[in-house]
Amino acid sequence: MHLFIVDLFISLDTVAPIIDGLNKKGKKTKICFVNPMQDFSHHKLIQYLNKSKFNQNHGQLCLGFFNKINYILLKIIISFPLLLLNKLDRIWNKIYNSTIFFNEKNFIKFLKKNNVKNVTIEDSLPKNKKKLIINACSKIGIPILCIASGLFTIKIKKNKEIYLFEKINLYLSPNLFAPYRKNILTSKKFLLCGSPRYDTKWIMKLKKIYNYKNKFQNKKIKIAYFLRTTSENHNVHLKLIEKIKKIKNIEIKFGNKPREIAPFKSSLFANNNLNSTELILWSDITISAPSSILVESVLRKKLTICLEYLTPEGKTASHFSDHKNVVMIAKSSNEAVNIINKFNSNEHKFNNIKDIGLFLNLFINNKNKNYSIVENIIKYY
């Protein structure tokens, strides 16, 4: 049994293609949720994975009598009216970062009972949960695989550490943009494998999983705009959005980036009419500050605009800025508007296939059109 620990949606989004690949090989998998405020059991990705007889959705990992009582109390609180839930942001942060409904002892018992061969966690898992899971596995000799979520897209100079790297058996990295320390890069435990989320076959399969059909046929230019309401430059986004809305013959829909920790009832991301994949499929143009979402836009052959001037404060630039033949780089709101206007007047020219190939190789380690990122990863399970 291969156990997958899911925290936020980005965790599920990252490991789902690996689970699918293992199930296709007849290998058993189990999914456990460890964010007590978010249960993805009814999400289309889980419903798809559950169609396989080799996968089991355990649901929320809640072990021990008192933990189960506390979890029931939390579920009651989450059921409160939306007006009240929206006032509890600080509480959600505290619960997410500090509350665990299992301990090392009963987690070890759970691992043994389910005959778990290895455990996969996602790198952005809160440190206290990561430490508990890794220590428990280390005590009974169960290998830990840790996978990076999303993609590294921002240029940073500070060396990147991997928490408890010495106890991890294998670390799966999507690209080499993160400046890892030399001892990590040269370790046999570090594997440059690409991002399974952007595996070519999986990208195509997502359209079927979400059963996406474009019901919004019209002659307007359709724009998918991704943002996070908690970002430090949210007001700057709003100013650009007002400018875009003044352009003739456009329609704009918004997507919230999938790192919200709030309960689904009060989560903007969970209440999007279309998820990120569906939005990109719907769109002619995808707009975002530097983000891995832009890579999916390129894969789906959409005009892709990176708002380079909204790179997080303190960071120099994004890696997208080195690929101006693939991604349109906007260094101001006026430049973003000009790019849209050129598309609107059919002046935009689509990218060279060779440029796109180089871009995908660097960002997701997609070596060629026949290379399977997922197939390469599941060899290590």
Side-chain angles (χ1 to χ4, degrees):
M1 176 76 73
H2 304 281
L3 180 65
F4 289 81
I5 302 295
V6 169
D7 182 41
L8 302 176
F9 176 74
I10 195 166
S11 307
L12 174 61
D13 207 29
T14 300
V15 302
I18 301 175
I19 295 170
D20 185 49
L22 289 169
N23 293 159
K24 291 287 189 292
K25 299 286 186 182
K27 296 185 178 182
K28 292 182 179 180
T29 56
K30 185 188 283 286
I31 303 169
C32 290
F33 307 131
V34 295
N35 177 0
M37 295 176 295
Q38 295 183 352
D39 187 318
F40 299 97
S41 295
H42 299 293
H43 193 278
K44 288 180 181 179
L45 271 181
I46 291 292
Q47 291 174 352
Y48 165 75
L49 294 172
N50 284 345
K51 290 179 181 178
S52 171
K53 65 180 181 179
F54 298 106
N55 182 62
Q56 181 184 354
N57 174 28
H58 176 82
Q60 190 65 226
L61 189 59
C62 184
L63 306 173
F65 177 76
F66 291 108
N67 281 328
K68 289 178 180 178
I69 295 296
N70 289 331
Y71 180 58
I72 291 171
L73 292 174
L74 177 61
K75 295 287 281 185
I76 292 172
I77 293 172
I78 289 173
S79 69
F80 286 173
L82 184 59
L83 185 64
L84 180 58
L85 293 182
N86 287 337
K87 296 179 179 180
L88 301 177
D89 285 347
R90 291 184 180 180
I91 292 178
W92 305 141
N93 276 287
K94 186 174 182 180
I95 292 172
Y96 172 72
N97 287 301
S98 61
T99 304
I100 309 175
F101 286 110
F102 56 95
N103 58 37
E104 190 176 287
K105 183 179 179 181
N106 52 36
F107 184 58
I108 288 175
K109 186 177 179 181
F110 174 84
L111 294 173
K112 290 179 176 179
K113 181 180 178 180
N114 287 276
N115 193 27
V116 173
K117 294 181 179 179
N118 53 55
V119 176
T120 300
I121 60 174
E122 184 256 310
D123 197 25
S124 67
L125 191 68
K127 284 187 176 181
N128 59 340
K129 296 176 186 177
K130 191 182 290 186
K131 183 177 181 180
L132 189 159
I133 292 167
I134 290 175
N135 284 342
C137 290
S138 295
K139 283 187 177 181
I140 56 176
I142 291 180
I144 280 279
L145 290 86
C146 183
I147 185 167
S149 64
L151 299 172
F152 303 115
T153 61
I154 304 295
K155 295 179 180 180
I156 54 176
K157 295 180 180 179
K158 185 179 179 180
N159 285 335
K160 181 176 173 60
E161 294 283 358
I162 297 174
Y163 184 61
L164 294 177
F165 182 72
E166 67 280 3
K167 291 188 175 182
I168 293 169
N169 295 85
L170 194 63
Y171 185 87
L172 309 175
S173 177
N175 57 40
L176 293 177
F177 288 151
Y180 292 111
R181 292 185 179 277
K182 187 176 180 180
N183 67 305
I184 293 176
L185 288 172
T186 56
S187 171
K188 292 181 179 179
K189 297 191 294 183
F190 181 88
L191 177 67
L192 172 62
C193 60
S195 172
R197 170 61 175 80
Y198 298 103
D199 178 271
T200 305
K201 289 183 180 179
W202 182 252
I203 283 288
M204 294 300 103
K205 188 175 288 186
L206 283 175
K207 187 174 181 179
K208 295 180 180 179
I209 291 172
Y210 292 124
N211 193 26
Y212 178 78
K213 295 177 182 178
N214 192 348
K215 300 176 182 178
F216 309 95
Q217 298 290 346
N218 58 50
K219 294 181 180 180
K220 291 184 176 181
I221 303 300
K222 298 181 286 293
I223 298 175
Y225 194 114
F226 292 93
L227 70 166
R228 187 179 295 142
T229 55
T230 55
S231 68
E232 60 192 23
N233 46 31
H234 183 62
N235 288 333
V236 185
H237 277 282
L238 295 179
K239 290 178 182 178
L240 172 59
I241 289 167
E242 286 305 310
K243 288 185 177 182
I244 293 174
K245 286 181 176 179
K246 293 177 182 178
I247 301 173
K248 292 180 180 180
N249 197 41
I250 67 106
E251 181 180 359
I252 185 168
K253 292 182 182 291
F254 301 97
N256 291 282
K257 294 183 180 177
R259 280 197 184 272
E260 282 190 301
I261 63 174
F264 285 151
K265 194 173 181 179
S266 60
S267 166
L268 293 172
F269 167 73
N271 289 291
N272 284 341
N273 290 326
L274 299 174
N275 61 37
S276 60
T277 290
E278 290 171 317
L279 263 178
I280 293 170
L281 284 166
W282 165 83
S283 71
D284 299 301
I285 302 173
T286 302
I287 301 176
S288 174
S291 164
S292 55
I293 281 173
L294 298 176
V295 176
E296 181 169 355
S297 176
V298 171
L299 282 165
R300 297 197 184 280
K301 300 178 181 178
K302 307 293 183 175
L303 175 64
T304 306
I305 302 176
C306 174
L307 303 175
E308 188 71 16
Y309 71 104
L310 293 180
T311 299
E313 187 177 348
K315 307 296 191 300
T316 56
S318 77
H319 289 284
F320 293 109
S321 62
D322 297 329
H323 299 273
K324 296 177 182 178
N325 290 335
V326 177
V327 176
M328 302 295 104
I329 304 299
K331 296 183 179 180
S332 68
S333 60
N334 288 336
E335 285 192 12
V337 169
N338 287 337
I339 293 169
I340 297 169
N341 280 327
K342 283 186 177 181
F343 184 88
N344 210 355
S345 59
N346 295 315
E347 290 183 28
H348 175 76
K349 294 181 180 179
F350 281 92
N351 311 302
N352 185 290
I353 294 175
K354 289 184 179 179
D355 292 332
I356 294 175
L358 176 62
F359 171 88
L360 294 177
N361 188 24
L362 290 171
F363 274 81
I364 60 173
N365 198 42
N366 192 54
K367 301 181 185 301
N368 55 65
K369 66 178 182 179
N370 297 317
Y371 180 74
S372 173
I373 295 171
V374 171
E375 287 290 329
N376 183 52
I377 290 174
I378 62 176
K379 290 188 299 186
Y380 296 90
Y381 280 80

